[in-house]
Amino acid sequence: MPALASRKGWLPREGFTADVLQSLILKTVLNPALTLPLFLLTRYVRNGEYTVTHALALERLKICLYLGLTRWVNRFLNRGALNNWTSDSWDWEKELVVITGGSDGIGKVLVQLFAHLNARILILDIQEPTFELPNSRVYYLPLDLSSPSAIATTASTIRSTYGAPTILILNAGIVNRRSLLSLPDVLLERIFAINTLSHYRLAREFLPAIAAANHGAIVTVASLAGFVTAPGLVDYASTKAAAVAFHEGVTAELKYRYAAPRVRTVCVCPNFTRTKLIANFQGQGDWMNPVLEVETVGEAIFERVVTGQSGFVVLPRTAEWSVMTVRSWPWWLQRLLLGLAKDIMRPAEEAEEVKDREAEKARLLAEKGTEGEVSSFETGPEGKEA
């Protein structure tokens, strides 16, 4: 994988987190490649005397071995089912990768990574790239994802100029940082248009060719907020829950409606990531759920696409059982979790309130200034009517 921002030695960029400990356990205690040879040694070395002298240790080793084997079998079945028991390969010289929101943040990382494969890349974003395009096979097309007509026009241009995309990465997203009652319709409609409806519109434009070729990938960047909604994130979390449902529905339709089992579908659910979206975010995460670096998320998406594997990319990985399972928890425990998250977005909400007050003050001053100019024109320079 192409190198990006440096890591902290053998630790991930986020430092020592629960992910590191979980990975260590899975690679050692629950790794049959290690526990099975140890188990065989205890049975067949020195005529099995260890089974008598270390009976308790052997029982614990057997438990670890059985758990590890169960995990291996489960992972094998999951991978086969998620990929419809089919395989496919990429020819990167011929692939056309479309990345929404590719001008900065996670999208920027993805552009840089796919550029190393010499794939053709189209960046669809309302803002220009914040970096120099890596090579001549990377292109930028300005697009307002909240506009259905703009999406249709740009999609037509893409097909006529570049051909049919084979990989569609739905990465663009915005956040309002407001509580429900302080959210005007214009912002509510815009966040759903960009975070949710643009997925449907782009899929309707490009999915027919992908399904007909039975080759390609649809990547939907959702969020852990789609599983747990904190105060101040009601609209954002709703769009991300919709993104998860979109992914699951497209996955099912590709297999059962369009006979395209080799098309890969990926849903990415990261925790808060260090992008402009989390400006004024309260806190720096914790050991279980750290705030992620954009390179960490981008590399995980890239690896999943390149290896041709469908499914969920959940970051941090411990969130697969600590967050995605929240709805199966007892109600009192769910409410406790929400209580812990009650102030996460409060500083961001307060910052937006300050901006609103300043904007209203500027508007009133502008109106007063305009009135003053009109009054001066009507009365003349000395206060007499002109």
Short mmCIF file of all heavy atoms in Angstrom, two decimals, residues 132-183:
data_model
loop_
_atom_site.label_atom_id
_atom_site.label_comp_id
_atom_site.label_asym_id
_atom_site.label_seq_id
_atom_site.Cartn_x
_atom_site.Cartn_y
_atom_site.Cartn_z
N GLU A 132 -2.49 19.24 -5.21
CA GLU A 132 -2.15 19.12 -6.62
C GLU A 132 -2.55 17.72 -7.12
O GLU A 132 -2.23 16.71 -6.47
CB GLU A 132 -0.65 19.34 -6.83
CG GLU A 132 -0.21 19.30 -8.28
CD GLU A 132 1.27 19.57 -8.45
OE1 GLU A 132 1.91 19.96 -7.44
OE2 GLU A 132 1.78 19.40 -9.57
N LEU A 133 -3.23 17.65 -8.24
CA LEU A 133 -3.66 16.36 -8.76
C LEU A 133 -2.43 15.49 -9.04
O LEU A 133 -1.45 15.95 -9.63
CB LEU A 133 -4.48 16.55 -10.04
CG LEU A 133 -5.78 17.36 -9.88
CD1 LEU A 133 -6.55 17.39 -11.19
CD2 LEU A 133 -6.64 16.80 -8.76
N PRO A 134 -2.48 14.22 -8.61
CA PRO A 134 -1.29 13.36 -8.66
C PRO A 134 -0.72 13.12 -10.05
O PRO A 134 0.49 13.03 -10.21
CB PRO A 134 -1.78 12.04 -8.03
CG PRO A 134 -2.97 12.43 -7.22
CD PRO A 134 -3.61 13.56 -7.95
N ASN A 135 -1.58 12.96 -11.05
CA ASN A 135 -1.10 12.70 -12.40
C ASN A 135 -2.16 13.10 -13.42
O ASN A 135 -3.23 13.60 -13.05
CB ASN A 135 -0.70 11.22 -12.56
CG ASN A 135 -1.85 10.27 -12.25
OD1 ASN A 135 -2.96 10.44 -12.74
ND2 ASN A 135 -1.59 9.28 -11.40
N SER A 136 -1.86 12.86 -14.69
CA SER A 136 -2.74 13.29 -15.77
C SER A 136 -3.98 12.42 -15.92
O SER A 136 -4.84 12.71 -16.76
CB SER A 136 -1.96 13.31 -17.10
OG SER A 136 -1.49 12.00 -17.41
N ARG A 137 -4.10 11.35 -15.14
CA ARG A 137 -5.26 10.47 -15.20
C ARG A 137 -6.27 10.78 -14.09
O ARG A 137 -7.23 10.05 -13.89
CB ARG A 137 -4.83 9.00 -15.13
CG ARG A 137 -4.09 8.55 -16.40
CD ARG A 137 -3.45 7.18 -16.23
NE ARG A 137 -4.42 6.12 -16.02
CZ ARG A 137 -5.07 5.49 -17.01
NH1 ARG A 137 -4.86 5.84 -18.27
NH2 ARG A 137 -5.90 4.50 -16.73
N VAL A 138 -6.02 11.86 -13.37
CA VAL A 138 -6.93 12.31 -12.32
C VAL A 138 -7.59 13.62 -12.78
O VAL A 138 -6.89 14.56 -13.18
CB VAL A 138 -6.19 12.54 -10.99
CG1 VAL A 138 -7.17 13.02 -9.92
CG2 VAL A 138 -5.50 11.27 -10.53
N TYR A 139 -8.91 13.66 -12.73
CA TYR A 139 -9.64 14.82 -13.23
C TYR A 139 -10.60 15.34 -12.15
O TYR A 139 -11.11 14.58 -11.34
CB TYR A 139 -10.45 14.45 -14.48
CG TYR A 139 -9.66 13.70 -15.53
CD1 TYR A 139 -9.63 12.31 -15.52
CD2 TYR A 139 -8.96 14.38 -16.51
CE1 TYR A 139 -8.90 11.61 -16.48
CE2 TYR A 139 -8.23 13.70 -17.48
CZ TYR A 139 -8.20 12.31 -17.45
OH TYR A 139 -7.49 11.63 -18.39
N TYR A 140 -10.84 16.64 -12.22
CA TYR A 140 -11.78 17.27 -11.29
C TYR A 140 -12.97 17.83 -12.06
O TYR A 140 -12.79 18.57 -13.04
CB TYR A 140 -11.10 18.39 -10.50
CG TYR A 140 -12.08 19.32 -9.81
CD1 TYR A 140 -12.87 18.87 -8.75
CD2 TYR A 140 -12.23 20.64 -10.25
CE1 TYR A 140 -13.78 19.72 -8.14
CE2 TYR A 140 -13.13 21.49 -9.63
CZ TYR A 140 -13.91 21.02 -8.58
OH TYR A 140 -14.82 21.86 -7.98
N LEU A 141 -14.18 17.47 -11.62
CA LEU A 141 -15.40 18.00 -12.21
C LEU A 141 -16.20 18.67 -11.11
O LEU A 141 -16.60 18.01 -10.14
CB LEU A 141 -16.23 16.89 -12.85
CG LEU A 141 -15.60 16.13 -14.03
CD1 LEU A 141 -16.55 15.05 -14.52
CD2 LEU A 141 -15.24 17.07 -15.15
N PRO A 142 -16.43 19.99 -11.20
CA PRO A 142 -17.23 20.65 -10.16
C PRO A 142 -18.66 20.15 -10.19
O PRO A 142 -19.26 19.99 -11.25
CB PRO A 142 -17.14 22.13 -10.55
CG PRO A 142 -16.82 22.13 -12.01
CD PRO A 142 -16.00 20.92 -12.25
N LEU A 143 -19.22 19.88 -9.02
CA LEU A 143 -20.58 19.36 -8.95
C LEU A 143 -21.22 19.71 -7.62
O LEU A 143 -20.66 19.44 -6.55
CB LEU A 143 -20.58 17.83 -9.13
CG LEU A 143 -21.93 17.12 -8.96
CD1 LEU A 143 -22.94 17.64 -9.97
CD2 LEU A 143 -21.77 15.62 -9.06
N ASP A 144 -22.42 20.29 -7.69
CA ASP A 144 -23.24 20.53 -6.51
C ASP A 144 -24.13 19.31 -6.32
O ASP A 144 -25.10 19.12 -7.05
CB ASP A 144 -24.08 21.79 -6.70
CG ASP A 144 -24.97 22.09 -5.50
OD1 ASP A 144 -24.90 21.32 -4.51
OD2 ASP A 144 -25.74 23.06 -5.56
N LEU A 145 -23.78 18.49 -5.37
CA LEU A 145 -24.50 17.23 -5.16
C LEU A 145 -25.91 17.41 -4.64
O LEU A 145 -26.69 16.46 -4.58
CB LEU A 145 -23.71 16.33 -4.21
CG LEU A 145 -22.44 15.71 -4.81
CD1 LEU A 145 -21.56 15.14 -3.70
CD2 LEU A 145 -22.79 14.64 -5.82
N SER A 146 -26.26 18.62 -4.25
CA SER A 146 -27.62 18.87 -3.78
C SER A 146 -28.58 19.15 -4.94
O SER A 146 -29.79 19.26 -4.74
CB SER A 146 -27.65 20.06 -2.81
OG SER A 146 -27.33 21.27 -3.48
N SER A 147 -28.03 19.25 -6.15
CA SER A 147 -28.84 19.59 -7.32
C SER A 147 -29.07 18.37 -8.21
O SER A 147 -28.11 17.87 -8.81
CB SER A 147 -28.14 20.69 -8.13
OG SER A 147 -28.76 20.86 -9.38
N PRO A 148 -30.30 17.89 -8.34
CA PRO A 148 -30.59 16.74 -9.22
C PRO A 148 -30.21 17.01 -10.67
O PRO A 148 -29.66 16.13 -11.35
CB PRO A 148 -32.10 16.54 -9.06
CG PRO A 148 -32.44 17.18 -7.75
CD PRO A 148 -31.50 18.33 -7.62
N SER A 149 -30.48 18.21 -11.17
CA SER A 149 -30.18 18.53 -12.56
C SER A 149 -28.67 18.56 -12.80
O SER A 149 -28.19 18.12 -13.85
CB SER A 149 -30.80 19.87 -12.94
OG SER A 149 -30.31 20.92 -12.12
N ALA A 150 -27.91 19.08 -11.81
CA ALA A 150 -26.45 19.12 -11.95
C ALA A 150 -25.88 17.70 -11.98
O ALA A 150 -24.95 17.41 -12.74
CB ALA A 150 -25.84 19.91 -10.80
N ILE A 151 -26.42 16.82 -11.16
CA ILE A 151 -25.97 15.43 -11.14
C ILE A 151 -26.23 14.78 -12.49
O ILE A 151 -25.37 14.09 -13.07
CB ILE A 151 -26.65 14.64 -10.01
CG1 ILE A 151 -26.11 15.10 -8.65
CG2 ILE A 151 -26.43 13.14 -10.18
CD1 ILE A 151 -26.79 14.45 -7.46
N ALA A 152 -27.42 14.98 -13.04
CA ALA A 152 -27.78 14.38 -14.32
C ALA A 152 -26.88 14.90 -15.44
O ALA A 152 -26.40 14.13 -16.28
CB ALA A 152 -29.24 14.66 -14.65
N THR A 153 -26.64 16.20 -15.44
CA THR A 153 -25.79 16.80 -16.48
C THR A 153 -24.36 16.29 -16.39
O THR A 153 -23.73 15.92 -17.39
CB THR A 153 -25.80 18.34 -16.36
OG1 THR A 153 -27.15 18.81 -16.52
CG2 THR A 153 -24.91 18.97 -17.41
N THR A 154 -23.81 16.26 -15.17
CA THR A 154 -22.43 15.80 -14.97
C THR A 154 -22.30 14.32 -15.32
O THR A 154 -21.31 13.91 -15.93
CB THR A 154 -21.99 16.04 -13.51
OG1 THR A 154 -22.06 17.43 -13.22
CG2 THR A 154 -20.56 15.56 -13.30
N ALA A 155 -23.28 13.52 -14.96
CA ALA A 155 -23.25 12.09 -15.28
C ALA A 155 -23.23 11.87 -16.79
O ALA A 155 -22.51 11.01 -17.30
CB ALA A 155 -24.44 11.39 -14.65
N SER A 156 -24.01 12.66 -17.50
CA SER A 156 -24.04 12.56 -18.97
C SER A 156 -22.68 12.94 -19.55
O SER A 156 -22.18 12.28 -20.47
CB SER A 156 -25.13 13.47 -19.52
OG SER A 156 -25.15 13.43 -20.93
N THR A 157 -22.07 13.99 -18.99
CA THR A 157 -20.74 14.41 -19.44
C THR A 157 -19.71 13.32 -19.20
O THR A 157 -18.84 13.06 -20.05
CB THR A 157 -20.32 15.70 -18.71
OG1 THR A 157 -21.25 16.73 -19.00
CG2 THR A 157 -18.92 16.13 -19.12
N ILE A 158 -19.78 12.69 -18.04
CA ILE A 158 -18.84 11.61 -17.69
C ILE A 158 -18.95 10.47 -18.69
O ILE A 158 -17.96 9.97 -19.21
CB ILE A 158 -19.09 11.12 -16.26
CG1 ILE A 158 -18.65 12.18 -15.24
CG2 ILE A 158 -18.33 9.81 -16.00
CD1 ILE A 158 -19.02 11.86 -13.81
N ARG A 159 -20.17 10.04 -18.98
CA ARG A 159 -20.35 8.90 -19.89
C ARG A 159 -19.86 9.22 -21.30
O ARG A 159 -19.24 8.38 -21.96
CB ARG A 159 -21.82 8.50 -19.92
CG ARG A 159 -22.28 7.74 -18.70
CD ARG A 159 -23.68 7.15 -18.91
NE ARG A 159 -24.66 8.22 -19.01
CZ ARG A 159 -25.37 8.69 -17.99
NH1 ARG A 159 -25.18 8.19 -16.78
NH2 ARG A 159 -26.25 9.67 -18.15
N SER A 160 -20.10 10.44 -21.75
CA SER A 160 -19.71 10.80 -23.11
C SER A 160 -18.22 11.10 -23.25
O SER A 160 -17.63 10.89 -24.31
CB SER A 160 -20.52 12.01 -23.59
OG SER A 160 -20.27 13.15 -22.77
N THR A 161 -17.61 11.57 -22.16
CA THR A 161 -16.20 11.98 -22.22
C THR A 161 -15.24 10.92 -21.71
O THR A 161 -14.17 10.70 -22.30
CB THR A 161 -15.99 13.28 -21.41
OG1 THR A 161 -16.90 14.28 -21.86
CG2 THR A 161 -14.56 13.78 -21.56
N TYR A 162 -15.61 10.27 -20.62
CA TYR A 162 -14.69 9.33 -19.97
C TYR A 162 -15.14 7.87 -20.06
O TYR A 162 -14.35 6.96 -19.80
CB TYR A 162 -14.51 9.70 -18.50
CG TYR A 162 -14.06 11.12 -18.29
CD1 TYR A 162 -14.97 12.14 -18.00
CD2 TYR A 162 -12.71 11.46 -18.38
CE1 TYR A 162 -14.56 13.45 -17.82
CE2 TYR A 162 -12.29 12.78 -18.19
CZ TYR A 162 -13.23 13.77 -17.91
OH TYR A 162 -12.81 15.06 -17.73
N GLY A 163 -16.39 7.64 -20.34
CA GLY A 163 -16.92 6.28 -20.36
C GLY A 163 -17.68 5.97 -19.09
O GLY A 163 -17.92 6.85 -18.25
N ALA A 164 -18.06 4.72 -18.92
CA ALA A 164 -18.86 4.31 -17.77
C ALA A 164 -17.96 4.03 -16.57
O ALA A 164 -17.01 3.24 -16.68
CB ALA A 164 -19.67 3.08 -18.10
N PRO A 165 -18.23 4.65 -15.42
CA PRO A 165 -17.45 4.35 -14.21
C PRO A 165 -17.62 2.89 -13.80
O PRO A 165 -18.68 2.29 -14.00
CB PRO A 165 -18.05 5.29 -13.17
CG PRO A 165 -18.69 6.39 -13.95
CD PRO A 165 -19.21 5.73 -15.19
N THR A 166 -16.58 2.32 -13.22
CA THR A 166 -16.66 0.96 -12.69
C THR A 166 -16.65 0.93 -11.16
O THR A 166 -17.12 -0.02 -10.56
CB THR A 166 -15.48 0.11 -13.21
OG1 THR A 166 -14.25 0.79 -12.94
CG2 THR A 166 -15.61 -0.11 -14.71
N ILE A 167 -16.10 1.98 -10.55
CA ILE A 167 -16.07 2.07 -9.08
C ILE A 167 -16.66 3.42 -8.67
O ILE A 167 -16.17 4.47 -9.09
CB ILE A 167 -14.64 1.92 -8.53
CG1 ILE A 167 -14.06 0.55 -8.91
CG2 ILE A 167 -14.62 2.11 -7.01
CD1 ILE A 167 -12.61 0.37 -8.51
N LEU A 168 -17.71 3.37 -7.88
CA LEU A 168 -18.39 4.59 -7.42
C LEU A 168 -18.23 4.68 -5.91
O LEU A 168 -18.75 3.83 -5.17
CB LEU A 168 -19.87 4.54 -7.80
CG LEU A 168 -20.74 5.71 -7.33
CD1 LEU A 168 -20.23 7.03 -7.86
CD2 LEU A 168 -22.20 5.48 -7.75
N ILE A 169 -17.51 5.70 -5.45
CA ILE A 169 -17.28 5.89 -4.01
C ILE A 169 -18.07 7.10 -3.55
O ILE A 169 -17.74 8.24 -3.89
CB ILE A 169 -15.78 6.05 -3.70
CG1 ILE A 169 -15.00 4.82 -4.18
CG2 ILE A 169 -15.57 6.26 -2.21
CD1 ILE A 169 -13.51 4.89 -3.92
N LEU A 170 -19.13 6.85 -2.80
CA LEU A 170 -20.05 7.89 -2.34
C LEU A 170 -19.55 8.40 -0.98
O LEU A 170 -19.97 7.95 0.07
CB LEU A 170 -21.46 7.32 -2.24
CG LEU A 170 -21.97 6.71 -3.56
CD1 LEU A 170 -23.24 5.92 -3.33
CD2 LEU A 170 -22.19 7.80 -4.60
N ASN A 171 -18.63 9.35 -1.05
CA ASN A 171 -17.92 9.79 0.14
C ASN A 171 -18.37 11.15 0.64
O ASN A 171 -18.22 11.46 1.83
CB ASN A 171 -16.41 9.84 -0.18
CG ASN A 171 -15.61 10.59 0.85
OD1 ASN A 171 -15.41 10.13 1.97
ND2 ASN A 171 -15.13 11.78 0.47
N ALA A 172 -18.93 12.00 -0.22
CA ALA A 172 -19.27 13.37 0.17
C ALA A 172 -20.30 13.40 1.29
O ALA A 172 -21.21 12.57 1.34
CB ALA A 172 -19.79 14.14 -1.04
N GLY A 173 -20.16 14.37 2.16
CA GLY A 173 -21.12 14.52 3.25
C GLY A 173 -20.91 15.85 3.96
O GLY A 173 -19.83 16.43 3.92
N ILE A 174 -21.98 16.33 4.59
CA ILE A 174 -21.90 17.57 5.37
C ILE A 174 -22.55 17.32 6.73
O ILE A 174 -23.25 16.33 6.92
CB ILE A 174 -22.60 18.75 4.67
CG1 ILE A 174 -24.10 18.44 4.48
CG2 ILE A 174 -21.94 19.04 3.33
CD1 ILE A 174 -24.89 19.62 3.94
N VAL A 175 -22.31 18.23 7.65
CA VAL A 175 -22.94 18.16 8.97
C VAL A 175 -23.35 19.58 9.36
O VAL A 175 -22.65 20.54 9.03
CB VAL A 175 -21.99 17.54 10.02
CG1 VAL A 175 -20.76 18.40 10.23
CG2 VAL A 175 -22.71 17.30 11.34
N ASN A 176 -24.49 19.72 10.04
CA ASN A 176 -25.00 21.05 10.38
C ASN A 176 -24.62 21.52 11.78
O ASN A 176 -24.66 22.71 12.07
CB ASN A 176 -26.53 21.08 10.23
CG ASN A 176 -26.95 21.11 8.78
OD1 ASN A 176 -26.37 21.80 7.96
ND2 ASN A 176 -27.97 20.31 8.44
N ARG A 177 -24.33 20.59 12.69
CA ARG A 177 -23.96 20.93 14.07
C ARG A 177 -25.05 21.73 14.77
O ARG A 177 -24.78 22.73 15.43
CB ARG A 177 -22.65 21.72 14.11
CG ARG A 177 -21.49 21.10 13.35
CD ARG A 177 -20.21 21.90 13.56
NE ARG A 177 -19.16 21.48 12.66
CZ ARG A 177 -18.93 22.05 11.48
NH1 ARG A 177 -19.67 23.07 11.08
NH2 ARG A 177 -17.97 21.62 10.71
N ARG A 178 -26.29 21.32 14.60
CA ARG A 178 -27.41 22.02 15.23
C ARG A 178 -28.37 21.02 15.85
O ARG A 178 -28.54 19.91 15.35
CB ARG A 178 -28.17 22.86 14.18
CG ARG A 178 -27.36 24.00 13.57
CD ARG A 178 -28.10 24.60 12.40
NE ARG A 178 -27.34 25.66 11.76
CZ ARG A 178 -27.46 26.94 12.05
NH1 ARG A 178 -28.33 27.32 12.97
NH2 ARG A 178 -26.74 27.85 11.42
N SER A 179 -29.05 21.47 16.90
CA SER A 179 -30.11 20.65 17.47
C SER A 179 -31.33 20.72 16.55
O SER A 179 -31.44 21.60 15.69
CB SER A 179 -30.49 21.15 18.86
OG SER A 179 -30.97 22.48 18.79
N LEU A 180 -32.24 19.80 16.73
CA LEU A 180 -33.38 19.67 15.82
C LEU A 180 -34.20 20.96 15.74
O LEU A 180 -34.57 21.40 14.65
CB LEU A 180 -34.28 18.51 16.29
CG LEU A 180 -35.54 18.27 15.48
CD1 LEU A 180 -35.19 17.91 14.04
CD2 LEU A 180 -36.38 17.17 16.12
N LEU A 181 -34.48 21.59 16.88
CA LEU A 181 -35.35 22.76 16.89
C LEU A 181 -34.69 24.04 16.37
O LEU A 181 -35.36 25.04 16.16
CB LEU A 181 -35.89 23.00 18.31
CG LEU A 181 -36.74 21.86 18.87
CD1 LEU A 181 -37.30 22.24 20.24
CD2 LEU A 181 -37.88 21.49 17.92
N SER A 182 -33.38 24.01 16.19
CA SER A 182 -32.68 25.18 15.64
C SER A 182 -32.29 24.96 14.19
O SER A 182 -31.50 25.71 13.63
CB SER A 182 -31.41 25.47 16.47
OG SER A 182 -30.49 24.40 16.34
N LEU A 183 -32.89 23.94 13.57
CA LEU A 183 -32.51 23.55 12.21
C LEU A 183 -33.54 24.05 11.20
O LEU A 183 -34.66 23.54 11.15
CB LEU A 183 -32.41 22.02 12.14
CG LEU A 183 -31.81 21.40 10.89
CD1 LEU A 183 -30.34 21.80 10.75
CD2 LEU A 183 -31.92 19.87 10.97
#
